[in-house]
Amino acid sequence: MQAARCPTDELSLTNCAVVSEKDPPHVTVRTTPTHKFVFTVKTHQSVVPGTIAFSLPQRKWAGLSIGQDVEVTNYNFDKSKQCVGTMMVEIDFLQKKNVDSSQYDSDKMAAEFIQHFNSQAFSAGQQLVFSFCDKLFGLLIKDIDAMDPSILKGEAGSGKKHKIDIGLLLGNSQVVFEKAGSSSLTLIGKSKTRESRQSIINPDWNFERMGIGGLDKEFSDIFRRAFASRVFPPDIVEQMGCKHVKGILLFGPPGCGKTLMARQIGKMLNAREPKVVNGPEILNKYVGESEANIRKLFADAEDEQKRLGANSGLHIIIFDEIDAICKQRGSMAGSTGVHDTVVNQLLSKIDGVEQLNNILVIGMTNRPDLIDEALLRPGRLEVKMEIGLPDEKGRVQILNIHTAKMRQFNLLGSDVDVGELAAETKNYSGAELEGLVRAAQSTAMNRHIKASATVEVDLEKAENLKVHRDDFLASLDNDIKPAFGTNSEDYASYIMNGIIKWGDPVTAVLDDGELLVQQTKNSDRTPLVSVLLEGPPNSGKTALAAKISEESQFPFIKICSPDKMIGHSEIAKCQAIKKIFEDAYKSQLSCVVVDDIERLLDYVPIGPRFSNLVLQALLVLLKKPPPKGRKLLIIGTTSRKDVLQEMEMLDAFSTTIHIPNISRGEQLVEALEVGIDTHTRTHMRRHAHTGNTHGNVCASLSSFEVGMVISSNAFVVSFSNCFSVCCRCAAPESPISVQLS
């Protein structure tokens, strides 16, 4: 037969080959010895006998030209093997000028398709035209799964599927539509392609291989909030009316993995390469350019959403140091207002009138308090995740990551215990742990460098290079100190010579301090414990506070002392005190010593009496409970309890402990016995036992001078015509009389 053009447009939409007389329902058309195609046949009187008419899509599919001779034979389907179970169909608008943004229900489309093309033959790769809702669509048959024969018999299916090249469409066949890759068609309903339901999570994603440790819980929380809706089947998400999370804010101390986590989220997802933007790069000196830079970041996502609608891919935009461009609007007096317009532009792009649903904005900052509050509301950066200091388990993971290569090539000493290092590195951030490993490596390498006129490496010894436990411990002591940890140098000077327990009052204070430390550690009801040590000047309050904080073994200990704020203005002093407390909130267990409170307050008995700004800041911070899961012990010291009483500050402390001076002779003797060295003590006893043996023993201690620190910053006992000690034999049980001249 000869190939001809289909006589009418209406017949072209039937997907049938048209002949003049009644023929078998299905035929095979062979165009070449190796190419054959199966068509369902329809009759029409306008077709010339001896010809077979094809529509334009059919001629394109089969490679036919008008007037071409073809061999036509009968074709019979084996209904036990060739019935269509599921057919995947790619769909797009037939003509691009008819593109619209309407949503097309794939369920209704599938029902009409089956009704219109029932009992017709379809082949994989076949092209056809389909009319739906007065719109013409071009279809391409992607693949065909055969129907289970048991279903045709009315029995339960086995669930097994196999592909076929040619199939017969039946009333109980399933048709699944897949939108063409470049199409802007929007499909809804359950009969959409199942490819859109594939997981957006990269199957190769792994915590440790990506260099992330100690952030398992944070990743779990981010996944629950930000990605659960993207993993769920889209049709169920549509039925729930659920919108995807568009923004995540990661905040926390420097070096804890915010930037690393943001980068790895991009690798974790089957999405486009993330756009990473440093906040300050957005700003431009020319008017309007900063806002244009924001618009450029979202241009690709906007264009794809216009073309593909709900089927658009995910676009990730990462803002590092987002506080540089998103400060509170109106907070910068005298500025040009560039920051305000940049914030406005960003707000409108993330969740404005023309909102985008195919973006995920990740912001990172150390200062969440600086960011405009409108950016943090739901619909914008609604998932706020604190990336804090890693716990011991997290530190083990981080150290394992950074020592993995050394372990692989047998360069890590057998005496290195990662668990021990994790226990010793309380409040170390991930960056500081990485720095610790680098410092240990440098220490180990330094052993193999020859110290001669020229710097050379001892190659023979270098072959046996290993990083040992001592290298890590040396780096811990000398090289790497945690920014949010305990620096022993801060309080070591206060207790240089230890605490001399000259009597029960000192022991009682230390015991009370231990009780308060245990309460802070173990109680779930009192996350904030504060104590005020008050007493006369030079009675050892600061030393006792430093001793209590040292013995607490808290990972964060900081002393807020007036000597570090000399020359500070009131505002600068408030900010410095606030920063100490904010740093303390970042640790699980913290101790802050607020030393010499009246000096912090600039108290003097005459003139301007005190700084009200600092007073109000301290009152707020002393009463402010730490964040959930954090515990804080505050130890204050003062020599002017009466002044704090007038300022209503005593009520801010949970309890007050009085620190007395030495008041009894036996207490002085005990202090001298403990504090004076052996030679001086012997010299003193010799003088004390000379004199009248009849009972009146008078020992003059003016012939020598002894200096002894009873406790740090406490008074120095100086015997230089200062003390007169008299002992009466008649009443040896009476206390020694001590007079201070």
Side-chain angles (χ1 to χ4, degrees):
M1 302 180 76
Q2 279 190 344
R5 182 182 286 106
C6 190
T8 67
D9 289 342
E10 190 175 327
L11 285 172
S12 296
L13 296 176
T14 62
N15 191 41
C16 293
V18 187
V19 293
S20 60
E21 298 177 359
K22 183 70 175 176
D23 266 338
H26 311 290
V27 295
T28 300
V29 177
R30 189 182 297 273
T31 57
T32 67
T34 57
H35 292 85
K36 60 180 180 179
F37 305 88
V38 176
F39 292 94
T40 300
V41 177
K42 217 180 220 338
T43 58
H44 195 269
Q45 66 274 13
S46 63
V47 177
V48 178
T51 62
I52 180 168
F54 300 97
S55 66
L56 179 61
Q58 290 172 328
R59 295 201 301 274
K60 282 184 178 180
W61 170 49
L64 291 165
S65 57
I66 303 298
Q68 179 181 345
D69 291 332
V70 294
E71 180 184 336
V72 181
T73 57
N74 183 24
Y75 185 86
N76 293 314
F77 278 97
D78 182 353
K79 292 192 177 181
S80 65
K81 297 179 181 179
Q82 288 186 291
C83 292
V84 174
T86 304
M87 187 164 68
M88 187 72 70
V89 182
E90 186 180 274
I91 184 170
D92 194 6
F93 292 107
L94 185 64
Q95 296 177 323
K96 297 301 179 185
K97 65 180 181 180
N98 292 331
V99 171
D100 62 23
S101 58
S102 302
Q103 293 182 335
Y104 293 91
D105 191 330
S106 59
D107 298 326
K108 293 180 180 178
M109 192 180 286
E112 189 163 326
F113 182 92
I114 292 172
Q115 183 180 355
H116 194 69
F117 299 114
N118 192 19
S119 299
Q120 285 198 22
F122 286 95
S123 303
Q126 181 178 347
Q127 299 176 20
L128 66 149
V129 179
F130 175 51
S131 176
F132 179 74
C133 293
D134 297 326
K135 289 276 186 181
L136 292 179
F137 297 93
L139 305 184
L140 172 66
I141 308 302
K142 296 283 285 184
D143 57 52
I144 304 172
D145 290 333
M147 186 178 291
D148 192 334
S150 55
I151 295 178
L152 297 172
K153 300 175 184 177
E155 301 171 0
S158 63
K160 294 181 180 179
K161 294 182 179 180
H162 65 275
K163 304 287 184 187
I164 53 176
D165 294 326
I166 302 170
L168 183 67
L169 188 71
L170 302 179
N172 56 349
S173 299
Q174 289 185 338
V175 178
V176 179
F177 289 97
E178 175 186 9
K179 185 176 65 66
S182 60
S183 175
S184 59
L185 178 67
T186 304
L187 293 177
I188 60 172
K190 295 182 180 179
S191 297
K192 294 185 298 182
T193 174
R194 301 188 186 278
E195 288 184 12
S196 62
R197 298 184 184 180
Q198 67 181 359
S199 174
I200 65 165
I201 305 299
N202 192 327
D204 298 328
W205 179 59
N206 177 280
F207 278 118
E208 293 198 2
R209 192 162 62 247
M210 295 220 174
I212 297 177
L215 297 176
D216 301 40
K217 181 182 181 299
E218 287 79 359
F219 256 108
S220 175
D221 290 344
I222 288 175
F223 181 85
R224 175 179 60 84
R225 289 294 316 280
F227 303 124
S229 62
R230 298 182 188 273
V231 174
F232 231 69
D235 50 303
I236 298 178
V237 175
E238 286 175 7
Q239 292 169 11
M240 293 177 68
C242 177
K243 291 183 179 179
H244 300 309
V245 167
K246 298 177 185 175
I248 303 171
L249 179 68
L250 305 177
F251 65 94
C256 287
K258 299 184 295 297
T259 306
L260 178 63
M261 177 180 275
R263 282 199 301 263
Q264 303 310 337
I265 284 175
K267 294 180 181 178
M268 177 183 80
L269 302 176
N270 285 324
R272 288 159 184 76
E273 187 70 22
K275 295 180 181 178
V276 182
V277 186
N278 292 319
E281 293 177 358
I282 292 292
L283 302 178
N284 193 295
K285 66 179 180 179
Y286 295 108
V287 176
E289 283 298 311
S290 301
E291 296 88 327
N293 290 338
I294 293 287
R295 289 194 293 272
K296 287 174 187 174
L297 293 174
F298 292 87
D300 293 342
E302 277 186 320
D303 179 60
E304 189 168 314
Q305 180 157 300
K306 285 178 182 176
R307 288 188 298 104
L308 306 181
N311 297 297
S312 170
L314 180 63
H315 293 253
I316 301 175
I317 303 171
I318 299 172
F319 285 94
D320 201 3
E321 306 300 339
I322 194 172
D323 55 282
I325 59 170
C326 293
K327 288 185 172 63
Q328 291 277 355
R329 287 170 290 180
S331 62
M332 301 182 68
S335 69
T336 58
V338 172
H339 284 85
D340 292 0
T341 54
V342 168
V343 173
N344 293 337
Q345 183 70 76
L346 188 60
L347 294 177
S348 64
K349 284 297 177 187
I350 297 176
D351 190 30
V353 176
E354 296 181 1
Q355 60 180 353
L356 298 171
N357 202 35
N358 61 341
I359 57 168
L360 179 64
V361 177
I362 304 175
M364 293 167 290
T365 179
N366 303 327
R367 299 292 305 276
D369 53 302
L370 297 181
I371 298 177
D372 192 278
E373 59 186 12
L375 196 64
L376 304 179
R377 72 153 174 81
R380 289 169 182 159
L381 301 185
E382 65 177 276
V383 178
K384 292 173 275 294
M385 184 63 58
E386 181 177 6
I387 309 301
L389 298 167
D391 57 12
E392 189 168 332
K393 180 183 174 186
R395 294 195 294 273
V396 169
Q397 291 181 358
I398 295 169
L399 288 168
N400 278 329
I401 288 169
H402 292 303
T403 57
K405 231 169 190 179
M406 290 192 289
R407 197 178 293 107
Q408 179 184 348
F409 293 100
N410 198 28
L411 295 175
L412 192 67
S414 58
D415 58 346
V416 176
D417 183 359
V418 172
E420 179 195 8
L421 291 175
E424 291 292 326
T425 51
K426 293 177 181 175
N427 275 25
Y428 274 65
S429 67
E432 287 161 347
L433 290 171
E434 184 182 4
L436 174 66
V437 175
R438 279 200 303 269
Q441 291 167 342
S442 300
T443 305
M445 287 187 283
N446 195 54
R447 287 199 302 272
H448 303 288
I449 296 177
K450 294 177 181 177
S452 58
T454 58
V455 178
E456 297 178 357
V457 177
D458 190 339
L459 295 177
E460 293 181 4
K461 293 183 179 179
E463 294 294 329
N464 301 319
L465 173 67
K466 280 199 174 184
V467 182
H468 292 286
R469 175 176 179 268
D470 291 341
D471 298 322
F472 282 97
L473 296 182
S475 301
L476 270 175
D477 293 336
N478 304 318
D479 297 322
I480 307 296
K481 299 291 183 184
F484 300 96
T486 299
N487 188 354
S488 58
E489 295 172 2
D490 282 350
Y491 56 80
S493 59
Y494 295 109
I495 46 177
M496 193 186 318
N497 297 321
I499 299 293
I500 296 175
K501 298 181 181 179
W502 46 260
D504 291 340
V506 178
T507 307
V509 171
L510 294 175
D511 289 344
D512 289 345
E514 175 61 21
L515 282 175
L516 292 169
V517 168
Q518 293 304 320
Q519 180 184 356
T520 308
K521 282 183 179 178
N522 302 323
S523 175
D524 295 328
R525 303 185 60 173
T526 53
L528 174 64
V529 176
S530 56
V531 56
L532 177 66
L533 305 184
E534 60 85 16
N538 297 323
S539 57
K541 300 180 294 296
T542 304
L544 288 168
K547 185 66 174 177
I548 292 169
S549 61
E550 181 192 39
E551 291 185 345
S552 71
Q553 295 294 305
F554 281 6
F556 181 93
I557 299 173
K558 205 77 169 179
I559 296 182
C560 178
S561 177
D563 60 5
K564 298 174 184 174
M565 301 185 191
I566 296 174
H568 281 32
S569 66
E570 284 186 302
I571 294 176
K573 193 179 289 188
C574 290
Q575 289 174 341
I577 296 170
K578 182 186 174 194
K579 184 179 186 307
I580 289 174
F581 277 83
E582 285 180 342
D583 290 349
Y585 297 150
K586 293 168 184 171
S587 173
Q588 299 292 327
L589 279 172
S590 305
C591 178
V592 175
V593 178
V594 185
D595 188 31
D596 217 355
I597 294 176
E598 65 272 14
R599 292 284 71 78
L600 281 173
L601 296 174
D602 298 333
Y603 170 77
V604 287
I606 56 173
R609 305 291 294 272
F610 63 92
S611 167
N612 190 48
L613 275 177
V614 179
L615 172 63
Q616 298 305 324
L618 277 174
L619 285 173
V620 170
L621 293 170
L622 289 173
K623 294 180 180 179
K624 181 183 177 183
K628 186 177 180 182
R630 314 290 164 83
K631 295 183 177 182
L632 175 62
L633 172 64
I634 302 173
I635 305 175
T637 70
T638 182
S639 301
R640 296 300 303 267
K641 179 183 177 183
D642 56 325
V643 172
L644 300 192
Q645 179 71 54
E646 290 182 14
M647 295 178 180
E648 299 181 349
M649 186 178 267
L650 290 185
D651 295 336
F653 290 93
S654 308
T655 184
T656 302
I657 298 176
H658 177 67
I659 311 296
N661 265 335
I662 293 177
S663 59
R664 297 174 63 85
E666 61 266 26
Q667 295 173 347
L668 175 60
V669 170
E670 181 66 23
L672 295 175
E673 287 285 338
V674 176
I676 301 178
D677 60 23
T678 306
H679 172 76
T680 306
R681 192 181 306 126
T682 304
H683 186 62
M684 175 181 166
R685 282 173 179 165
R686 186 168 66 247
H687 278 265
H689 287 85
T690 60
N692 191 345
T693 57
H694 287 286
N696 291 326
V697 180
C698 181
S700 173
L701 303 181
S702 60
S703 60
F704 63 94
E705 182 172 308
V706 178
M708 179 194 71
V709 179
I710 288 188
S711 58
S712 174
N713 286 351
F715 64 91
V716 175
V717 180
S718 178
F719 293 93
S720 179
N721 296 321
C722 293
F723 289 94
S724 175
V725 181
C726 296
C727 305
R728 295 184 178 275
C729 295
E733 73 281 356
S734 62
I736 298 173
S737 172
V738 180
Q739 296 177 348
L740 297 175
S741 61

